[in-house]
Amino acid sequence: MDPLPKDGESAAAGEPSRGAGSSSGVVVQVREKKGPLRAAIPYMPFPVAVICLFLNTFVPGLGTLVSAFTVLCGARTDLPDRHMCCVFWLNIAAALIQILTAIVMVGWIMSIFWGMDMVILARSSRSHLC
């Protein structure tokens, strides 16, 4: 007599295989939900984003401050429903948070990640343009 199958075995045995032969046509889209500060990071040209990352690495908040002015020069963000001045002030607030909390290393780490996000956004916008 066969012993009773375990829960994991019965579930695996009862499901059809989902290998390469399956063509169900299901499309899954994953979209990251960003807060207002994170969504205010501008899509800049790649060289400018790299300069901002460099500045943020050595002087926390300076690259974010520079990126705030690119918003005034027409850089787009993930906040299309907000006015340009509001997005500018959100970036200034992010820079001030990074500068003020750099003393306890939190701002410095945040500043480096902010700069990396700028470069990632610049690369993604560049690949969409080509």
Side-chain angles (χ1 to χ4, degrees):
M1 230 170 156
D2 289 358
L4 292 174
K6 296 178 185 170
D7 289 335
E9 293 176 33
S10 63
E15 288 183 19
S17 71
R18 294 184 183 179
S22 175
S23 61
S24 62
V26 177
V27 177
V28 178
Q29 180 180 6
V30 178
R31 179 171 274 169
E32 179 184 6
K33 184 177 180 183
K34 298 179 180 179
L37 273 181
R38 193 91 182 229
I41 298 174
Y43 288 84
M44 299 176 282
F46 187 73
V48 177
V50 170
I51 290 170
C52 288
L53 170 61
F54 181 78
L55 291 173
N56 271 349
T57 302
F58 295 104
V59 183
L62 185 59
T64 306
L65 192 64
V66 169
S67 75
F69 289 98
T70 64
V71 172
L72 296 178
C73 294
R76 68 179 182 85
T77 64
D78 288 332
L79 293 172
D81 55 336
R82 300 247 178 131
H83 193 267
M84 180 183 358
C85 288
C86 180
V87 176
F88 170 76
W89 287 111
L90 282 171
N91 279 293
I92 294 293
L96 288 175
I97 290 169
Q98 292 169 7
I99 291 167
L100 294 175
T101 59
I103 298 168
V104 289
M105 296 299 289
V106 173
W108 205 335
I109 294 167
M110 177 185 173
S111 184
I112 293 170
F113 278 108
W114 218 259
M116 289 174 19
D117 281 345
M118 290 177 204
V119 172
I120 290 168
L121 289 175
R123 287 188 68 192
S124 70
S125 69
R126 186 174 68 174
S127 65
H128 290 304
L129 294 176
C130 295

